[in-house]
């Protein structure tokens, strides 16, 4: 698959992910497309506080995930340590994709991490693709391949994918915030679907309840103010409302957003 075609697929998958109601499914949807885009064979995605003893490790394809599940605690700790990317990104503010070979040089092939990856996943090289706005801990994806290192063109394509990854991660965080706010009972997805609200419109509705301006909502979601207004118009139409306050009250009545607690 050519790089341009792979990027088109990545974009299509990212758009599809914004219509996925289940936040846990978002990163698995992206992983395969990211591997194709960057010429990789497997992807690990890191999306929370990750240290040597804790943190979510998601992997694709399923064969790679199965291999990781067989690792012992010592091997998982080594993998979570993030050599050599943890130190690389901690020492700088830029979040440009980079490979382990280019970061560690001749130390990489003989490192314990490289030997573990060769044994567990039969890969030789790793490409770090962090989320562009992540600080500490740095979150994002690790793309793996065997044979030669990732090319300059593949690093450029990884950089082009970073805004798509960031948009989906922001969507995931907001969907999880929305679910937590509504509590364990009920069926929030069904209520949103009954009102024909897309997952993207649901997250915009959640931000409306926080009294954010259209500009602030756009910054949170990584979209233009014009796109925010379009989503808001759709929400008004679907809920039968005319303004922000009426929309928030209607959404609370329908159980689409949390109701305010007692003062």
């Amino acid at each position: 698959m050519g790089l341009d075609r792979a990027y088109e697929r990545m974009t299509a998958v990212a758009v599809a992910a914004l219509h996925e109601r289940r936040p846990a499914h978002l990163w698995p949807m992206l992983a395969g497309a990211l591997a194709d885009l960057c010429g990789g064979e497997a992807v690990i995605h890191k999306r929370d506080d990750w240290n040597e003893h804790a943190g979510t490790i998601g992997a694709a394809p399923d064969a790679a995930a199965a291999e990781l599940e067989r690792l012992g605690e010592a091997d998982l700790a080594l993998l979570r340590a993030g050599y050599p990317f943890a130190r690389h990104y901690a020492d700088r503010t830029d979040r440009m994709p980079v490979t382990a070979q280019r970061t560690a040089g001749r130390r990489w092939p003989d490192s314990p991490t490289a030997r573990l990856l060769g044994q567990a996943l039969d890969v030789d090289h790793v490409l770090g693709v962090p989320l562009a706005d992540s600080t500490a801990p740095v979150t994002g994806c690790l793309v793996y391949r065997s044979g030669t290192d990732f090319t300059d063109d593949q690093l450029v394509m990884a950089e082009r994918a970073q805004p798509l990854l960031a948009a989906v991660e922001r969507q995931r965080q907001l969907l999880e915030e929305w679910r937590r706010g509504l509590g364990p009972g009920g069926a929030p997805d069904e209520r949103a679907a009954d009102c024909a609200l897309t997952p993207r419109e649901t997250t915009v509705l959640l931000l409306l309840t926080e009294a954010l301006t259209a500009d602030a909502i756009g910054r949170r979601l990584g979209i233009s103010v014009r796109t925010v207004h379009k989503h808001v118009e759709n929400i008004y139409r679907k809920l039968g409302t005319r303004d922000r306050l009426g929309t928030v009250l209607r959404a609370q009545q329908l159980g689409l957003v949390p109701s305010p607690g007692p003062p």
Side-chain angles (χ1 to χ4, degrees):
M1 180 183 294
L3 291 182
D4 287 342
R5 187 175 177 185
Y7 185 72
E8 290 176 2
R9 183 196 167 203
M10 180 72 187
T11 303
V13 171
V15 171
L18 296 179
H19 289 80
E20 171 59 53
R21 299 187 183 278
R22 296 160 295 183
H25 288 208
L26 294 178
W27 276 109
M29 288 181 66
L30 291 177
L34 181 62
D36 289 343
L37 178 69
C38 301
E41 301 165 17
V43 173
I44 285 179
H45 42 91
K46 169 193 174 189
R47 63 176 189 268
D48 54 13
D49 291 351
W50 196 357
N51 56 49
E52 293 186 27
H53 307 290
T56 303
I57 298 179
D62 291 342
E67 290 298 328
L68 292 182
E69 289 178 358
R70 298 189 181 99
L71 296 180
E73 286 301 319
D75 288 338
L76 286 174
L78 181 62
L79 189 62
R80 287 192 178 103
Y83 174 83
F85 301 108
R87 174 62 64 85
H88 173 81
Y89 289 117
D91 290 343
R92 65 196 70 225
T93 57
D94 78 80
R95 294 293 180 259
M96 297 289 289
V98 67
T99 70
Q101 183 71 54
R102 300 185 187 201
T103 302
R106 288 180 292 180
R107 292 172 295 173
W108 167 248
D110 295 325
S111 67
T113 302
R115 289 196 296 270
L116 170 63
L117 292 171
Q119 296 167 1
L121 299 178
D122 194 24
V123 295
D124 307 304
H125 297 280
V126 190
L127 167 62
V129 188
L131 296 180
D133 56 355
S134 63
T135 53
V138 176
T139 56
C141 295
L142 299 173
V143 186
Y144 301 91
R145 68 181 290 173
S146 57
T148 59
D149 197 10
F150 294 85
T151 67
D152 290 340
D153 285 344
Q154 288 163 342
L155 265 68
V156 169
M157 295 306 291
E159 183 182 356
R160 288 176 62 182
Q162 285 179 301
L164 303 178
L165 300 177
V168 172
E169 173 60 9
R170 286 190 289 265
Q171 177 77 355
R172 183 192 69 82
Q173 291 176 356
L174 283 169
L175 285 176
E176 290 194 340
E177 178 184 337
W178 172 61
R179 287 166 174 262
R180 287 194 301 268
L182 291 176
D189 294 333
E190 293 179 10
R191 292 196 291 271
D194 287 343
C195 296
L197 291 176
T198 67
R200 194 57 150 173
E201 290 165 355
T202 301
T203 55
V204 171
L205 176 60
L206 177 65
L207 295 178
L208 284 178
T209 67
E210 298 179 9
L212 297 181
T213 64
D215 186 61
I217 292 173
R219 288 196 300 271
R220 283 283 298 272
L221 296 176
I223 58 179
S224 69
V225 173
R226 181 178 178 181
T227 301
V228 172
H229 284 308
K230 185 63 177 178
H231 287 313
V232 172
E233 290 173 5
N234 290 337
I235 293 168
Y236 286 178
R237 174 174 52 82
K238 293 177 180 181
L239 297 187
T241 55
R242 296 183 178 181
D243 55 37
R244 179 183 292 231
L245 178 59
T247 299
V248 171
L249 292 175
R250 178 61 174 160
Q252 290 171 347
Q253 292 170 355
L254 294 172
L256 294 170
V257 296
S259 298

